[in-house]
Amino acid sequence: MKKELFEIISNDIAAENIFKMELSGDTSAITAPGQFINIELQGYFLRRPFSVCDWEDYKLTIYYKVVGKGTAEMSCMKPCESLDVLIGLGNGYNLAASGDRPLLIGGGAGIPPLFGLAKRLIEERKQPEVILGFNTYMEMFLVEEFQNLGIKTTITTADGSHGTKGFVTDAMADKNYSYIYTCGPEAMLKAVYEKSISSGEFSFEERMGCGFGACMGCTCRTKYGNKRICKDGPVLRKEEIIW
Amino acid sequence: MKKELFEIISNDIAAENIFKMELSGDTSAITAPGQFINIELQGYFLRRPFSVCDWEDYKLTIYYKVVGKGTAEMSCMKPCESLDVLIGLGNGYNLAASGDRPLLIGGGAGIPPLFGLAKRLIEERKQPEVILGFNTYMEMFLVEEFQNLGIKTTITTADGSHGTKGFVTDAMADKNYSYIYTCGPEAMLKAVYEKSISSGEFSFEERMGCGFGACMGCTCRTKYGNKRICKDGPVLRKEEIIW
Amino acid sequence: MVDTSVELNGIKFQNPVIPASGTFGYGYEFAHWYDINCLGAICIKGTTKEPRFGNDCPRIAEGPSGILNAVGLENPGIHKVLDEELPKLRHIYHQPIIANISGFSKDEYVYCCAKADESPLVDIIEVNISCPNVHNGGMSFGTSPESAGEITKAVKTIVHNKPVYIKLSPNAMDIAAIAKSCEEAGADGISLINTFLAMRIDIKKKKPILANVTGGLSGPAVFPIALRMVWQVYEAVRIPIIGIGGISTADDVIEMMLAGATAVQVGAANLKNPYACKKIIEDLPSAMERYGIKSLKSIIGGGH
Amino acid sequence: MVDTSVELNGIKFQNPVIPASGTFGYGYEFAHWYDINCLGAICIKGTTKEPRFGNDCPRIAEGPSGILNAVGLENPGIHKVLDEELPKLRHIYHQPIIANISGFSKDEYVYCCAKADESPLVDIIEVNISCPNVHNGGMSFGTSPESAGEITKAVKTIVHNKPVYIKLSPNAMDIAAIAKSCEEAGADGISLINTFLAMRIDIKKKKPILANVTGGLSGPAVFPIALRMVWQVYEAVRIPIIGIGGISTADDVIEMMLAGATAVQVGAANLKNPYACKKIIEDLPSAMERYGIKSLKSIIGGGH
Ligand SMILES: Cc1cc2nc3c(=O)[nH]c(=O)nc-3n(C[C@H](O)[C@H](O)[C@H](O)COP(=O)(O)OP(=O)(O)OC[C@H]3O[C@@H](n4cnc5c(N)ncnc54)[C@H](O)[C@@H]3O)c2cc1C
Ligand SMILES: Cc1cc2nc3c(=O)[nH]c(=O)nc-3n(C[C@H](O)[C@H](O)[C@H](O)COP(=O)(O)OP(=O)(O)OC[C@H]3O[C@@H](n4cnc5c(N)ncnc54)[C@H](O)[C@@H]3O)c2cc1C
Ligand SMILES: Cc1cc2nc3c(=O)[nH]c(=O)nc-3n(C[C@H](O)[C@H](O)[C@H](O)COP(=O)(O)O)c2cc1C
Ligand SMILES: Cc1cc2nc3c(=O)[nH]c(=O)nc-3n(C[C@H](O)[C@H](O)[C@H](O)COP(=O)(O)O)c2cc1C
Ligand code: FES
Ligand code: FES
């Protein structure tokens, strides 16, 4: 965990209400895909948490959906503006558990961290496959980037405007996988949990006071005791989750 | 009174802790020298009031002293940033009352409005003379500008580092004048009031809630009833002042 | 087309947005900025029996997201307000007028309310038992259920023609109990909240900034507390509530109505931006559409 | 060289800056960010007799210049805190430790305070009779002079070795009367304030954001109210005051001390910026020089 200044490299619309922001700054605090950053916004008391989509030395990418005042304000930011960021937050996904053919399942604004994960799984010579769920065609993002990694990419849309009509779970049935990594709305996580035949890891969201474990603002119950989503999570192992 | 967006043209240091800021925007609401503007600053609830030093179509100048958080933040602003400004506030000085040889007396951060006044008096073919009081040499500003108007400019400094050592009132004794216009710290205004042999106008400061007459946040007693410094002032006639 | 109208005690408001007492002069001054007939209603500056200068200056200080004021009920007295100020307002303004009545004794409240009741220019009487800025003044009446009920009863005995709203202080422990006591004493509605007793110290001078030492805090800073109080009072009473405290956007209006307000007052926001009420009113329809609200009336208390 | 040290009940603090209960975990977590030995003291998370999960999530919401929390006293219970958490902290930290004790009954307060009194790792006991986030919980003890005095007396009867500070709720009408009652019952100091009962509503879902419906507001928004309360309590009691509420800069510390605080606690600011306390401590000397303050001790109550 570090507190760093980042500079906006680009901040462009990627799909309906979804923006891609590239930031430059010290990324050395990131230790695993699935971790997040917490961004200070002028005029707002709380920072805003976003999953790291991808990173390299001195550069990282996030994708964010405009859902409220803070994200609306972010969407107006310009290159060269700087942001105060807490980085390297959360546990992130455990790559070692993946097995050979992990299945990555993402829904909407939960998709970004799976991209960084997929890249690193490939680097470790695994064969990940991915299911991406969207509401509708207009909200699709990151699809090409996944395809460019050369991995099998299945799309579902709730309204059938692209790919399989339905939810990500509708595309799970015929898959053969060693492990599941997933991130998305809680209802989706739960459906995936119930449908999944392997072990896996589930990334959760919660409103956060600090994002680094100080305030107990984000605690959830697990089979192995209380866990703070921000510090002991956001990724929980399937075995510990209590719904 | 209008609410307008202004853009910063320049924002440079003019003396120790004193900055000159030039703004471009619609100045048509200004009706008299001695009026002020009220600037919104991001992150502060209240606007900050500053006297208009000088103005023309689409341009105005203020001088401000860094005394607290708001003015410190202003000193870091850059050209092209825009400011939300209420303009044309207050009554301003009454030029018609000046007589032929008005004496203008300004102290420190109270000097700026006298410059716009002097210019307009000259335009009306009066012969203003000015006394400018500072604490010390390093804090002197606007002196050359007054001299360039071709009017007699007397300087006093409290520590004697330039001009007459002492206060503005020490330089008043030998002057011959038809009317007094003054602006500065309240102690100075009172000293000038007591020493002055003519009628005149005194510009006051008060902490303001609105700056345009709505909140009764700045009311003072005068011989002719309550007056709001922001709307019925900041300029009061000598005859109405109650100390 | 969405419907922004609301109704308080049979009086129809074209929208729920009312500038709050003390932040909008006597209304007509704002006609310089915009046509004030767009407002839901206007609540005028707090009025006492006799003219008052109020407190010495400085009367204003600043806090994070808020303003402190210690105006101390400066006003020309009820007679001049009814005879001179309100006619000037009525001349250019055709929506409801709320008279805000303050006082230092039960008799003074009764006297002023009786006058306001007689005036054809007043539509609603708001009894301010919550001003923190005058010594031995209104606030003490507003901090216990008993005294709040007592003032309400006294006023209701002599007001025959107009709804009476009691404006409560947030500097109280159990706001719901106080509201309930007012309801039982016959109040037609509750306005809440007034300002929080607060202060600032000038570090350079090592002295309080306000000449009055303390003042009342209002503005966005207090919104979450005001919202909670409206929520609690809504659960305690059946009479309408005017929600006040930190409102500065159309979203704030909607949130306050979901908590239980039938209308809202906007105070400090007018001082920062003279167009605040107009802008909120203009923003309401699109905000309503964004949240799928067809009629504002339908969301009152909708968060419960 | 300026002198930032202060003294509370004979215990010397190198500076008056203390992270507030609930915003700094058990302290050792912050050692990741900086050497926590720069702090004046540490006040640990509120502790009850039994382990508590606290409230359901969401526990956090936002307001202008502030945060709402409804954590609800999540903690592993007094035994685990004293036996496991504090040793971990003491291992790396050599300044005073303040134990924040919460409870649901007089017996629980007494039990936990007795344990804290025995522990060699606790220097000061802060009794939190002001938590707004637990039902039938602490806050009700802290809103009347009688119950506050009763808890104080009970605790003081069994604590023999350590100063006892009573932490008051701002959700009270007459904070000075409550503080006075605690003083009379033997309190060694007063901590104020805890958070303001507040709420937010999710406009999209038309439901309260917090699972607990209401939560406690803190952060810069409340600073002017906290300052006023410290000012009033300073005029009412002679025991030292720890000023809390919205402090986020060195200037805020000085202002709070001028109002009457001997030390201060910094809460919400730690959550926004993990370095907040460190930065305030580093900024103090230059702020003191700017205002001509040689010794912080000398300005306590200096605004009166
Ligand atoms: C670990 C984590 C990773 C996330 N990663 C992403 C991502 O990669 N892309 C993305 O689009 N979104 C992500 N989110 C959600 C994102 O944080 C919220 O959408 C965002 O904070 C909303 O801010 P706002 O000001 O627009 O909304 P508002 O509703 O105006 O915000 C009000 C408050 O609620 C909080 N809040 C609102 N929604 C959420 C939420 N869903 N989760 C947590 N806090 C919330 C805000 O942070 C803020 O404190 C993530 C959340 C978490 C916890
Ligand atoms: C009509 C008028 C004209 C002015 N013209 C000038 C000018 O031309 N040049 C100049 O340098 N200064 C001028 N001032 C003073 C200037 O407004 C303050 O110095 C400035 O507001 C301080 O802001 P701050 O945030 O730095 O100080 P802070 O002390 O941090 O401000 C806190 C609050 O106090 C208010 N405040 C502090 N000092 C004053 C003051 N002296 N008068 C009014 N409000 C104050 C601020 O506006 C703010 O609301 C004028 C004031 C008035 C009323
Ligand atoms: C400058 C000022 C003057 C006020 N005067 C009065 C008053 O005379 N009578 C009254 O009932 N409330 C008065 N109030 C309180 C407001 O009407 C309102 O209740 C309070 O400011 C909270 O709303 P806000 O947060 O939108 O400002 C005043 C508030 C301010 C800021
Ligand atoms: C997330 C959070 C948790 C808190 N938990 C406690 C607690 O356990 N015990 C307690 O006495 N106060 C608790 N408080 C209150 C703080 O200690 C402090 O009194 C309050 O936040 C005001 O200070 P601030 O404005 O600096 O945050 C908590 C505050 C926050 C924000
Ligand atoms: S958000 Fe503070 S502990 Fe998780
Ligand atoms: S500042 Fe509001 S009336 Fe003058």
Side-chain angles (χ1 to χ4, degrees):
Chain A
M1 300 189 292
K2 281 194 183 170
K3 179 167 174 292
E4 298 286 345
L5 273 189
F6 277 73
E7 194 169 283
I8 299 175
I9 304 172
S10 68
N11 185 29
D12 301 311
I13 193 152
E16 194 167 270
N17 276 324
I18 304 263
F19 287 74
K20 174 184 184 180
M21 186 184 270
E22 294 179 302
L23 296 167
S24 81
D26 180 355
T27 59
S28 62
I30 303 178
T31 59
Q35 286 187 318
F36 65 97
I37 63 174
N38 214 356
I39 303 182
E40 180 172 76
L41 299 179
Q42 291 308 312
Y44 295 88
F45 191 75
L46 296 177
R47 291 170 182 267
R48 301 296 190 263
F50 299 96
S51 299
V52 174
C53 169
D54 196 12
W55 76 99
E56 52 195 72
D57 284 0
Y58 279 87
K59 184 174 156 192
L60 71 79
T61 308
I62 62 171
Y63 282 82
Y64 61 93
K65 183 167 179 179
V66 174
V67 299
K69 291 187 186 148
T71 44
E73 204 151 298
M74 282 171 65
S75 71
C76 301
M77 290 179 171
K78 303 247 170 326
C80 292
E81 286 186 48
S82 50
L83 293 172
D84 182 313
V85 169
L86 301 182
I87 183 167
L89 307 183
N91 54 359
Y93 293 110
N94 177 11
L95 271 81
S98 73
D100 282 340
R101 297 182 53 83
L103 179 60
L104 281 49
I105 305 182
I111 290 171
L114 299 179
F115 181 74
L117 173 65
K119 263 179 84 169
R120 274 143 197 95
L121 286 167
I122 292 167
E123 279 168 24
E124 305 216 337
R125 301 181 186 283
K126 311 293 178 184
Q127 293 175 30
E129 190 180 328
V130 65
I131 305 175
L132 305 177
F134 301 95
N135 287 317
T136 182
Y137 182 75
M138 294 293 291
E139 296 179 7
M140 281 169 50
F141 69 102
L142 263 176
V143 174
E144 255 181 73
E145 286 83 348
F146 273 105
Q147 286 166 340
N148 290 343
L149 294 178
I151 65 179
K152 182 156 185 219
T153 305
T154 307
I155 309 292
T156 69
T157 55
D159 66 356
S161 51
H162 194 94
T164 312
K165 181 177 157 95
F167 301 109
V168 288
T169 39
D170 296 321
M172 279 171 74
D174 54 336
K175 306 285 179 200
N176 184 359
Y177 49 88
S178 52
Y179 200 69
I180 279 207
Y181 295 102
T182 180
C183 183
E186 195 162 316
M188 184 202 96
L189 297 184
K190 192 159 184 220
V192 169
Y193 177 96
E194 276 157 12
K195 193 118 188 199
S196 58
I197 51 175
S198 74
S199 179
E201 296 178 15
F202 293 68
S203 182
F204 287 81
E205 276 185 13
E206 195 43 80
R207 289 185 187 245
M208 294 184 173
C210 63
F212 53 88
C215 73
M216 313 284 164
C218 62
T219 307
C220 69
R221 290 190 170 87
T222 76
K223 293 187 182 144
Y224 305 105
N226 299 349
K227 295 215 167 176
R228 293 159 299 182
I229 295 290
C230 71
K231 173 114 181 178
D232 313 313
V235 177
L236 298 183
R237 280 172 302 116
K238 189 178 173 189
E239 291 68 31
E240 60 185 341
I241 297 169
I242 302 175
W243 293 103
Chain B
M1 297 189 294
K2 281 194 181 169
K3 180 168 173 291
E4 297 286 344
L5 273 190
F6 276 73
E7 194 169 284
I8 299 174
I9 303 172
S10 69
N11 185 29
D12 301 311
I13 193 153
E16 194 168 271
N17 276 323
I18 304 265
F19 286 75
K20 173 184 183 179
M21 186 183 269
E22 293 179 303
L23 296 167
S24 80
D26 181 355
T27 58
S28 62
I30 302 178
T31 58
Q35 286 187 321
F36 66 98
I37 62 175
N38 214 356
I39 302 181
E40 180 172 76
L41 299 180
Q42 292 307 313
Y44 295 87
F45 191 75
L46 296 177
R47 292 171 182 266
R48 299 296 190 263
F50 299 96
S51 300
V52 175
C53 169
D54 195 13
W55 77 98
E56 52 194 72
D57 285 0
Y58 278 89
K59 183 175 156 192
L60 72 78
T61 308
I62 61 170
Y63 283 82
Y64 61 93
K65 183 168 179 178
V66 174
V67 298
K69 292 187 184 146
T71 44
E73 204 150 299
M74 282 172 65
S75 71
C76 301
M77 290 179 169
K78 302 247 171 326
C80 292
E81 286 186 49
S82 49
L83 294 172
D84 183 313
V85 169
L86 302 182
I87 184 168
L89 306 184
N91 54 0
Y93 293 110
N94 177 12
L95 272 80
S98 74
D100 281 340
R101 297 180 55 82
L103 178 61
L104 281 51
I105 305 181
I111 290 171
L114 300 180
F115 181 74
L117 173 64
K119 263 179 83 169
R120 274 143 197 95
L121 286 168
I122 292 167
E123 278 168 24
E124 305 217 337
R125 302 183 184 282
K126 312 292 179 185
Q127 292 174 31
E129 191 181 328
V130 65
I131 305 175
L132 305 177
F134 301 96
N135 287 317
T136 182
Y137 181 77
M138 295 293 290
E139 295 180 6
M140 280 170 50
F141 69 101
L142 262 176
V143 174
E144 255 181 73
E145 287 83 347
F146 273 105
Q147 286 165 341
N148 290 344
L149 294 178
I151 64 178
K152 183 154 185 222
T153 305
T154 307
I155 309 293
T156 69
T157 55
D159 66 356
S161 52
H162 194 94
T164 311
K165 180 178 159 93
F167 301 111
V168 288
T169 39
D170 297 320
M172 280 171 74
D174 54 336
K175 306 286 179 198
N176 185 0
Y177 48 88
S178 52
Y179 200 69
I180 280 208
Y181 295 102
T182 181
C183 184
E186 195 163 313
M188 184 201 94
L189 297 183
K190 194 161 180 218
V192 169
Y193 177 94
E194 276 157 12
K195 193 117 186 200
S196 59
I197 50 174
S198 74
S199 179
E201 295 178 15
F202 293 68
S203 182
F204 286 81
E205 276 186 10
E206 195 43 79
R207 290 186 184 244
M208 293 184 173
C210 63
F212 53 87
C215 73
M216 311 285 164
C218 62
T219 306
C220 68
R221 290 190 170 88
T222 75
K223 293 188 183 144
Y224 305 106
N226 298 349
K227 294 213 166 175
R228 294 160 298 181
I229 295 290
C230 72
K231 175 112 180 180
D232 313 312
V235 177
L236 298 184
R237 281 173 301 115
K238 189 178 173 189
E239 290 68 32
E240 61 185 340
I241 298 169
I242 303 176
W243 293 102
Chain C
M1 267 292 292
V2 296
D3 176 8
T4 59
S5 73
V6 297
E7 211 181 285
L8 281 92
N9 317 88
I11 304 171
K12 186 153 174 166
F13 286 41
Q14 57 186 340
N15 65 60
V17 180
I18 309 167
S21 180
T23 64
F24 212 71
Y26 293 99
Y28 56 83
E29 296 97 331
F30 275 75
H32 168 87
W33 297 101
Y34 59 88
D35 181 354
I36 55 178
N37 285 296
C38 70
L39 298 166
I42 285 178
C43 186
I44 60 163
K45 174 75 198 155
T47 305
T48 52
K49 186 174 173 190
E50 307 296 336
R52 278 179 58 84
F53 173 72
N55 294 317
D56 284 340
C57 283
R59 295 175 172 184
I60 300 289
E62 192 184 37
S65 299
I67 175 179
L68 287 77
N69 91 81
V71 169
L73 293 176
E74 174 179 351
N75 81 93
I78 183 82
H79 291 279
K80 196 155 172 200
V81 167
L82 295 179
D83 299 345
E84 294 179 23
E85 302 292 353
L86 290 193
K88 273 198 244 179
L89 171 57
R90 190 46 96 204
H91 188 64
I92 53 163
Y93 170 77
H94 321 295
Q95 305 296 335
I97 294 176
I98 305 178
N100 181 278
I101 302 296
S102 299
F104 295 81
S105 67
K106 189 158 80 177
D107 290 350
E108 185 174 0
Y109 281 112
V110 166
Y111 180 89
C112 294
C113 288
K115 291 286 161 216
D117 194 35
E118 286 163 16
S119 166
L121 303 179
V122 172
D123 298 286
I124 293 180
I125 296 173
E126 180 176 77
V127 183
N128 170 18
I129 57 168
S130 47
C131 182
N133 291 327
V134 289
H135 297 288
N136 306 315
M139 189 172 107
S140 50
F141 295 114
T143 46
S144 91
E146 295 72 31
S147 54
E150 195 188 318
I151 297 286
T152 308
K153 195 166 288 168
V155 165
K156 276 297 290 183
T157 312
I158 50 89
V159 173
H160 304 297
N161 310 311
K162 289 160 195 176
V164 172
Y165 278 63
I166 310 293
K167 183 163 175 183
L168 302 186
S169 167
N171 304 287
M173 221 197 69
D174 187 348
I175 193 98
I178 296 173
K180 228 178 146 55
S181 169
C182 294
E183 181 183 42
E184 280 159 12
D188 300 294
I190 302 287
S191 297
L192 68 153
I193 55 176
N194 209 309
T195 55
F196 285 85
L197 201 60
M199 73 181 290
R200 293 303 304 269
I201 295 174
D202 184 326
I203 307 185
K204 284 183 215 156
K205 300 191 185 149
K206 302 192 173 51
K207 284 287 152 216
I209 288 179
L210 299 170
N212 189 52
V213 179
T214 58
L217 177 69
S218 70
V222 309
F223 180 75
I225 315 180
L227 190 84
R228 181 266 296 178
M229 290 185 166
V230 167
W231 175 279
Q232 290 179 326
V233 168
Y234 181 81
E235 299 208 329
V237 304
R238 295 169 161 273
I239 48 180
I241 298 166
I242 300 180
I244 319 171
I247 293 171
S248 52
T249 67
D251 275 20
D252 295 342
V253 173
I254 292 173
E255 197 171 333
M256 196 56 106
M257 292 183 74
L258 287 169
T262 298
V264 301
Q265 290 179 15
V266 176
N270 295 307
L271 308 183
K272 188 180 178 108
N273 177 4
Y275 295 102
C277 284
K278 177 173 157 62
K279 172 138 182 32
I280 292 172
I281 292 165
E282 285 170 356
D283 288 349
L284 263 177
S286 62
M288 289 169 67
E289 269 160 28
R290 192 159 57 246
Y291 302 115
I293 301 165
K294 292 227 168 53
S295 153
L296 271 188
K297 273 195 279 300
S298 72
I299 67 163
I300 298 164
H304 290 256
Chain D
M1 268 291 292
V2 294
D3 177 8
T4 60
S5 73
V6 296
E7 210 181 287
L8 281 92
N9 316 88
I11 304 171
K12 186 153 175 167
F13 286 42
Q14 56 186 343
N15 65 60
V17 180
I18 310 166
S21 179
T23 63
F24 211 71
Y26 294 98
Y28 56 82
E29 295 97 331
F30 276 75
H32 168 85
W33 298 102
Y34 59 88
D35 181 355
I36 54 178
N37 285 294
C38 71
L39 298 167
I42 285 178
C43 185
I44 61 164
K45 175 76 198 155
T47 305
T48 51
K49 187 174 173 188
E50 306 297 336
R52 279 181 57 83
F53 173 72
N55 294 317
D56 283 341
C57 284
R59 295 176 173 185
I60 300 288
E62 192 185 38
S65 299
I67 175 179
L68 287 78
N69 91 82
V71 168
L73 293 176
E74 173 179 351
N75 81 94
I78 183 80
H79 291 278
K80 196 154 173 203
V81 167
L82 295 179
D83 298 346
E84 294 179 23
E85 301 292 352
L86 290 193
K88 272 198 243 178
L89 171 57
R90 191 45 98 202
H91 188 62
I92 52 162
Y93 168 77
H94 321 295
Q95 305 296 334
I97 294 177
I98 304 178
N100 181 278
I101 302 296
S102 299
F104 296 81
S105 66
K106 189 158 77 175
D107 289 350
E108 185 175 1
Y109 282 111
V110 166
Y111 180 89
C112 293
C113 287
K115 290 284 163 221
D117 193 37
E118 286 163 18
S119 165
L121 302 178
V122 172
D123 297 286
I124 294 180
I125 297 173
E126 180 177 75
V127 183
N128 170 17
I129 56 168
S130 47
C131 183
N133 291 326
V134 290
H135 297 289
N136 306 317
M139 189 173 107
S140 49
F141 296 115
T143 48
S144 89
E146 295 71 31
S147 55
E150 195 188 319
I151 298 285
T152 308
K153 195 165 290 169
V155 166
K156 277 297 290 183
T157 311
I158 49 89
V159 173
H160 304 297
N161 310 311
K162 286 160 198 177
V164 172
Y165 277 64
I166 310 294
K167 182 164 176 183
L168 302 187
S169 167
N171 305 287
M173 221 197 71
D174 188 348
I175 194 97
I178 296 172
K180 226 176 149 55
S181 168
C182 293
E183 181 183 41
E184 280 159 13
D188 301 293
I190 302 286
S191 297
L192 69 153
I193 56 176
N194 210 309
T195 56
F196 285 86
L197 200 61
M199 74 181 290
R200 294 302 305 268
I201 295 173
D202 185 326
I203 307 186
K204 285 182 213 155
K205 299 190 186 150
K206 302 193 173 52
K207 285 285 153 219
I209 288 179
L210 299 169
N212 189 50
V213 180
T214 58
L217 176 69
S218 70
V222 309
F223 180 74
I225 316 181
L227 191 82
R228 181 267 295 177
M229 291 185 166
V230 167
W231 175 279
Q232 289 179 326
V233 169
Y234 182 80
E235 299 208 330
V237 304
R238 294 166 161 275
I239 48 180
I241 299 166
I242 300 179
I244 318 170
I247 292 171
S248 53
T249 66
D251 275 20
D252 295 343
V253 173
I254 293 174
E255 197 172 332
M256 196 56 106
M257 292 183 75
L258 287 169
T262 297
V264 303
Q265 289 180 15
V266 176
N270 295 308
L271 308 182
K272 187 181 179 109
N273 176 4
Y275 295 102
C277 284
K278 178 175 156 62
K279 173 143 179 31
I280 292 173
I281 292 165
E282 286 169 355
D283 289 348
L284 264 177
S286 61
M288 289 170 68
E289 270 161 27
R290 194 158 56 246
Y291 302 116
I293 300 165
K294 292 226 166 53
S295 154
L296 271 187
K297 272 196 280 299
S298 72
I299 67 164
I300 298 163
H304 291 256

